[in-house]
């Protein structure tokens, strides 16, 4: 149950909390916060606290910069790592314009807008369970970052226990203290790579948790002298980090992807949702795989998807249907990576699925063969396309996809494109190490 304004004021008083961080994210999913003192909290909880939106990337121009932060009381949390003398809490906020309307550039508010569309179609909840992977790298004594993993360094390390495993255990403990239900945590395939899975929740809550999760992982890593990164492909030649999204829809408390009367026990709604995701997969990539570097993960040989297909068994396609049925019936979208803004990622996935449901888009038959062993001709016969090979290609797809543009709204779409085009162009003009090695002598 969400605490009331009075509950929060009482807790803050009793626990001697001095500072409260009012949190939100910019359109790139970078967490921002405005710290206030306990004295200002009542005003903030009444939604009367203003801030200057022009200082945030992709938000607004100077002339329209006054914004309101409206804290969501259900997100109130005491931060476990804060110094006891200055106990701190946080509240996640929605952003409103000076005239009291939800601000169209707020990713959290935008996700709520798409969830409202779903509601009008009789869908009460979108549940998301993310599987975020990350690397833990050594930092040098002077604090500079490396891409050396603790596993490699372990050989030289005199300490008998793995620093990475220790750090991960502390991360799980901190997360549990903050109300996360951690379902699994394990070492991943690449050296220095880890995954921590927490229980699925409704879309806005899960997006909030993804942001908190990344902050906690980074903070605890730092305490262990390690650097945690959610960069999708930090090291050439080994697996990158993904963030698979497990998704289901519910109405009247029931999982509506489940239908025991069909051969696969998937409902038509589930099939249409898959159809919509496959149809819009290329444009969605611009949001779920937002970095130049994201596309270096989406290559064959590392269990990351390259082709637009779905399957019941195989882990190579874009969408896998895990075997569990009943309330656990879900689809697993395997392309997203943890650098994505979760609010935007969930909004575009939901919108694509809703388009599938509205227009009864039936997906092609599931492909249970290894797509990497098919040639182009065979893939064509199965109706299997490719995910974009670069950020530039993905941005072009986003520009041409009305449905996915609508999932962002005009404001976010325009600012996002502007920022990402600049990122792509800046990268495109660089001369890389690889080019010098290949060409400098030969030509
Ligand atoms: P994998 O087998 O791909 O490694 P994991 O066990 O690591 O999968 O993660 C499964 C995720 O799916 C968890 O976050 C879990 O809470 C989530 N999940 C389970 N049931 C549902 C559901 N009905 N809707 C959405 N997510 C779900
Ligand atoms: Mg997993
Ligand atoms: Mg698992
Ligand atoms: Mg994994
Ligand atoms: Mg998975």
């Amino acid at each position: 149950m969400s605490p009331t304004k009075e509950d929060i004021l009482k807790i803050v008083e009793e626990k001697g909390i001095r500072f409260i961080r009012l949190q939100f994210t910019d359109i790139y999913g970078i967490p921002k916060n405005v710290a206030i003192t306990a004295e200002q909290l009542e005003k903030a909880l009444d939604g009367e606290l203003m801030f200057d939106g022009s200082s945030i990337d992709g938000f607004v121009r100077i002339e329209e910069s006054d914004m309101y932060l409206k804290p969501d009381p259900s997100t109130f949390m005491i931060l476990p790592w804060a110094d006891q003398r200055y106990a701190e809490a946080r509240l996640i906020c929605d952003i409103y314009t000076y005239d009291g309307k939800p601000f169209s550039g707020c990713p959290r508010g935008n996700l709520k807008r798409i969830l409202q569309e779903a509601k009008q179609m009789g869908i009460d909840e979108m549940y998301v369970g993310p599987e975020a992977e990350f690397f833990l790298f050594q930092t040098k004594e002077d604090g500079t970052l490396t891409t050396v993993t603790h596993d490699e360094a372990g050989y030289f390390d005199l300490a008998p226990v793995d620093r990475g495993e220790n750090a991960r255990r502390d991360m799980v403990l901190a997360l549990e203290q903050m109300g996360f239900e951690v379902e699994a945590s394990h070492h991943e395939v690449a050296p220095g790579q880890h995954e921590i899975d927490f229980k699925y929740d409704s879309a806005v809550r899960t997006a909030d948790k993804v942001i908190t999760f990344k902050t906690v992982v980074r903070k605890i890593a730092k305490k262990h002298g390690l650097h945690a990164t959610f960069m999708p492909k930090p090291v050439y030649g080994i697996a990158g980090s993904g963030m698979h999204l497990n998704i289901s829809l519910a109405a009247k408390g029931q999982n509506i992807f489940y239908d025991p009367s069909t051969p696969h026990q998937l409902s038509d709604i589930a099939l249409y949702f898959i159809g919509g995701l496959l149809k819009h997969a290329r444009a969605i990539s611009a949001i779920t795989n937002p970095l130049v570097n994201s596309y270096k993960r989406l290559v064959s040989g590392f269990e990351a998807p390259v082709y637009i297909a779905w399957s019941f068994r195989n882990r190579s396609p874009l969408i896998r249907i895990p075997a569990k049925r009943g309330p656990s019936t879900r689809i697993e979208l395997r392309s997203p990576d943890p650098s994505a803004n979760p609010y935007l990622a969930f909004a575009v996935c939901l919108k694509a699925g809703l388009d599938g449901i509205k227009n009864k888009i039936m997906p092609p038959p599931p492909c249970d063969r290894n797509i990497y062993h098919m040639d182009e001709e065979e893939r064509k016969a199965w109706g299997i396309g490719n995910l974009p090979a670069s950020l530039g290609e993905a941005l072009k797809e986003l520009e041409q996809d009305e449905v996915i543009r609508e999932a962002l709204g005009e404001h976010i779409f325009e600012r996002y494109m502007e920022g990402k085009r600049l990122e792509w162009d800046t990268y495109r003009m660089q001369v890389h190490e690889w080019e010098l090695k290949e060409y400098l002598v030969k030509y």
Side-chain angles (χ1 to χ4, degrees), residues 403-415:
V403 173
I404 303 306
R405 279 174 68 155
E406 223 293 296
L408 301 173
E410 213 42 39
H411 185 106
I412 293 178
F413 169 75
E414 295 289 345
R415 308 295 151 104

Side-chain angles (χ1 to χ4, degrees), residues 131-133 186-189 193-195 197 242 244 303 315 332 334:
E131 303 171 54
E133 295 170 335
H186 55 87
H187 201 286
E188 262 300 337
V189 280
Q193 195 186 27
H194 299 265
E195 176 177 315
D197 303 317
H244 299 166
E303 269 206 8
R315 284 179 186 253
E332 181 192 43
R334 302 172 56 80

Side-chain angles (χ1 to χ4, degrees), residues 296-312:
K296 298 181 178 181
R297 167 178 164 257
L298 300 177
V299 296
S300 66
F302 302 100
E303 269 206 8
V306 177
Y307 301 112
I308 302 171
W310 68 295
S311 169
F312 284 96

Side-chain angles (χ1 to χ4, degrees), residues 127-131 183-184 186 195 197-200 244 246-248 255 315 320 327-330 332 334:
Y127 288 117
V128 187
E131 303 171 54
E183 291 187 324
H186 55 87
E195 176 177 315
D197 303 317
F198 53 88
K199 190 174 182 207
Y200 71 93
H244 299 166
N246 293 266
I247 302 173
S248 64
N255 183 327
R315 284 179 186 253
R320 179 176 73 99
S328 298
T329 310
R330 60 185 190 260
E332 181 192 43
R334 302 172 56 80

Side-chain angles (χ1 to χ4, degrees), residues 35-104:
I36 59 166
T37 59
E39 288 71 41
Q40 291 174 286
L41 181 59
E42 185 161 9
K43 197 173 161 200
L45 285 168
D46 289 334
E48 286 169 8
L49 207 82
M50 287 201 124
F51 80 108
D52 177 5
S54 66
S55 58
I56 307 297
D57 256 3
F59 265 30
V60 280
R61 292 179 229 288
I62 313 273
E63 59 273 20
E64 39 179 323
S65 64
D66 285 341
M67 310 248 129
Y68 285 107
L69 285 172
K70 295 212 176 188
D72 177 345
S74 71
T75 64
F76 178 78
M77 188 180 280
I78 297 171
L79 300 174
W81 53 74
D83 185 322
Q84 277 313 304
R85 286 169 304 167
Y86 303 104
E88 275 183 24
R90 74 95 198 263
L91 280 159
I92 297 174
C93 303
D94 289 313
I95 298 164
Y96 280 70
T97 56
Y98 71 96
D99 54 354
K101 297 198 184 84
F103 171 49
S104 57

